[in-house]
Amino acid sequence: RVLDEGLFSKALHQQLRQMAQARQTPIGGEAVFAYVGGPRTKTGAENRYWSRIGAQINSMTLGPEVVLANELEIPTAGLVVGHKYSIQGHEAPFAKETITSSLHRSHEALEQLVVDFLERIEPPAFANRLYRFHPSGDKS
């Protein structure tokens, strides 16, 4: 596989950003994601490690699905709804709010954005290249 564009589609990313702007729903910038196999609780040492190597988000989701979508030549985009920092000493930008209210507000905004996306999506072409090798040499 050659990731000319990367794991995430720039065209889908731009469509999501435009839809969010039209709804006046703030979307942060791009982030570096670290995949953590799960389900399990991440340790403090793991969280510190990923932060040191530049990961801004670490989670048990998104990784396998994005790789599979690329294997199937499906352009993907990712939205991360965050509500807390995993690294001790880092405070969430909304520290005065409860996690429950943060998740509720994020859920509503994400639901609206997903509905808009499903109704208005303009499917882009897959921008990466896949090389498939057949043991028999038969390409059919």
Side-chain angles (χ1 to χ4, degrees):
R1 161 178 16 150
V2 177
L3 298 173
D4 298 308
E5 182 174 46
L7 289 172
F8 297 100
S9 166
K10 291 179 175 120
L12 286 181
H13 174 86
Q14 186 59 33
Q15 285 183 56
L16 282 169
R17 207 167 255 300
Q18 289 171 347
M19 289 175 195
Q21 287 173 347
R23 282 200 165 271
Q24 298 181 342
T25 300
I27 290 184
E30 293 184 16
V32 176
F33 179 87
Y35 168 69
V36 182
R40 66 180 181 81
T41 301
K42 298 172 295 261
T43 67
E46 288 172 314
N47 289 328
R48 288 188 299 275
Y49 169 75
W50 287 307
S51 176
R52 278 189 216 120
I53 65 169
Q56 298 158 304
I57 300 164
N58 63 63
S59 180
M60 296 178 290
T61 61
L62 196 61
E65 295 89 344
V66 171
V67 170
L68 179 60
N70 275 271
E71 293 289 336
L72 296 172
E73 300 183 37
I74 300 171
T76 62
L79 288 173
V80 177
V81 177
H83 60 90
K84 66 180 180 73
Y85 282 97
S86 297
I87 302 167
Q88 288 188 359
H90 287 79
E91 296 297 324
F94 46 82
K96 294 180 180 166
E97 295 180 22
T98 66
I99 289 175
T100 301
S101 65
S102 169
L103 287 174
H104 178 71
R105 194 179 69 247
S106 297
H107 177 267
E108 288 177 357
L110 183 61
E111 183 177 355
Q112 292 170 354
L113 188 55
V114 167
V115 169
D116 285 351
F117 184 75
L118 292 173
E119 290 176 348
R120 298 184 183 113
I121 183 175
E122 295 179 26
F126 184 69
N128 293 321
R129 289 176 280 163
L130 294 181
Y131 294 94
R132 293 186 177 22
F133 300 94
H134 300 276
S136 67
D138 180 18
K139 295 185 180 188
S140 57

